Amino acid sequence: MKILVTGANGLLGSQLVKKLAEKSYDLHGVGKGPSRVKATGNNFSYHQVDILDGKAIYDLILSVRPQVIVHAAAMTQVDECEVNKIDCWNINVTATRFIVDAAKEISSRLIYVSTDFVFDGTSGPYSEGDLPNPVNYYGSSKWGGEKAIEESGLDWLVVRTVLVYGKTDEGQRPNIISWVKSNLEKGEKIKVVDDQVRTPTFVEDLANGIILAMERNAKGILHISGSETLTPYQMAVATAEHLGFKKSLIEKVDGSSFRQIAERPPRTGFIIEKARRELGFEPRSFKESLEEIFGARTEE
């Protein structure tokens, strides 16, 4: 089977490429800049294409003719989306429509990666049947992308996820775990919110879940995340404990302590029973994920 992955240089995209390449699929990755994807074998091809270039992405998809497109590329920086709304909408919605138009020409199956930020955070954790009501522009744009997929007439799947973390490669944006490690190992104090509740998702579990969903032909909307309810502060403390850093460097604060441009939903997180039932998906615990990322726990 031939598969095309957008956002191949990103945290999730690179994991998808790595795991799909191990399965010997005919694999194609797309990224805006030069490839940062590590060696994956002869069954992987990289294409440097900006998904905002409608003709270029259309021509590429019709040339490659993938049976499945996993659309993982997105603008995800919440405050930046609030400031640069046109860029956010173009990347998260308009570019998605470009991909939909090309996919229609060759009847590709389309898997779209979305977010818990489509919800307002007043009644989490959420199941697939709950109604989106985003409180910021990032969430609105991702909901707009979902609608473009759902109205496409294609064979589609929307995979929503929550606060993705994992080991970063060179050139990738930091996530909460890598940010905590980077600051604490330099002895720098950090402020971390304790009034935002999530079900954080280990990127390798997310990639595995998407591949399971693809191989089992899952349809509709699917929530894939971790199963533990944690705040960013709890994640930071657990990371410090695992790495043997001083927890005293971590200050517990609430969201009002930061001058954040975009509102954050207070309580999201997902109910993942559908993924468990239909895919046999079972995420690792946060502790197990830290061991996978950093190795065995370090004693202070």
Side-chain angles (χ1 to χ4, degrees):
M1 182 163 59
K2 191 178 292 185
I3 303 167
L4 184 143
V5 178
T6 69
N9 284 326
L11 182 64
L12 172 59
S14 61
Q15 276 294 327
L16 281 168
V17 165
K18 175 185 175 183
K19 292 179 181 296
L20 287 166
E22 290 171 354
K23 290 174 169 279
S24 299
Y25 288 115
D26 183 354
L27 188 58
H28 295 259
V30 177
K32 182 178 179 180
S35 176
R36 298 192 301 270
V37 180
K38 294 184 178 180
T40 54
N42 296 327
N43 59 323
F44 174 71
S45 300
Y46 182 83
H47 307 271
Q48 186 174 339
V49 173
D50 186 347
I51 60 172
L52 285 174
D53 186 334
K55 184 177 186 305
I57 193 66
Y58 182 92
D59 289 347
L60 173 64
I61 290 172
L62 264 63
S63 173
V64 172
R65 304 187 74 83
Q67 284 101 333
V68 178
I69 299 170
V70 182
H71 183 24
M75 183 173 176
T76 60
Q77 300 93 327
V78 181
D79 289 330
E80 189 176 335
C81 284
E82 207 72 23
V83 173
N84 300 307
K85 292 181 178 178
I86 293 175
D87 289 345
C88 174
W89 191 263
N90 284 340
I91 293 170
N92 291 347
V93 184
T94 304
T96 300
R97 290 176 177 155
F98 292 153
I99 292 168
V100 165
D101 288 343
K104 284 181 177 180
E105 292 292 322
I106 55 174
S107 299
S108 295
R109 184 163 188 243
L110 194 49
I111 299 174
Y112 178 75
V113 181
S114 192
T115 172
D116 60 317
F117 274 34
V118 299
F119 297 108
D120 58 22
T122 60
S123 57
Y126 292 94
S127 65
E128 289 83 355
D130 289 321
L131 182 65
N133 184 36
V135 297
N136 54 50
Y137 202 77
Y138 166 62
S140 296
S141 72
K142 292 300 288 182
W143 192 20
E146 289 187 15
K147 291 176 182 176
I149 301 294
E150 294 170 11
E151 296 166 1
S152 68
L154 293 164
D155 180 359
W156 60 269
L157 171 69
V158 169
V159 174
R160 294 182 183 138
T161 193
V162 183
L163 189 57
V164 181
Y165 65 90
K167 184 177 181 180
T168 55
D169 292 327
E170 184 178 351
Q172 292 178 346
R173 292 189 185 93
N175 55 79
I176 183 169
I177 299 304
S178 60
W179 174 78
V180 168
K181 177 179 182 294
S182 175
N183 282 277
L184 296 187
E185 68 185 356
K186 291 183 287 187
E188 296 181 358
K189 293 183 178 181
I190 57 175
K191 295 181 179 182
V192 189
V193 295
D194 196 46
D195 62 345
Q196 295 173 13
V197 179
R198 308 286 185 254
T199 49
T201 312
F202 183 32
V203 67
E204 292 192 30
D205 288 340
L206 176 57
N208 287 334
I210 290 172
I211 294 168
L212 279 171
M214 180 193 73
E215 293 177 336
R216 300 194 182 188
N217 202 31
K219 299 178 184 299
I221 297 172
L222 189 64
H223 286 181
I224 293 180
S225 76
S227 61
E228 296 171 290
T229 299
L230 297 167
T231 68
Y233 173 77
Q234 289 170 330
M235 296 173 71
V237 169
T239 302
E241 289 176 342
H242 185 87
L243 294 172
F245 294 139
K246 294 179 180 178
K247 290 182 288 184
S248 59
L249 293 171
I250 307 170
E251 181 182 350
K252 181 197 296 187
V253 298
D254 58 40
S256 64
S257 301
F258 298 98
R259 293 182 179 177
Q260 293 177 314
I261 298 165
E263 183 180 348
R264 268 62 167 179
R267 176 178 288 272
T268 63
F270 284 159
I271 297 166
I272 58 171
E273 293 312 307
K274 181 180 178 182
R276 283 173 161 148
R277 181 176 66 251
E278 296 188 2
L279 308 179
F281 173 75
E282 192 59 48
R284 277 164 276 199
S285 69
F286 189 63
K287 178 182 177 182
E288 289 169 335
S289 299
L290 290 177
E291 290 173 353
E292 186 69 27
I293 297 166
F294 300 121
R297 175 172 172 164
T298 302
E299 298 300 329
E300 288 188 69

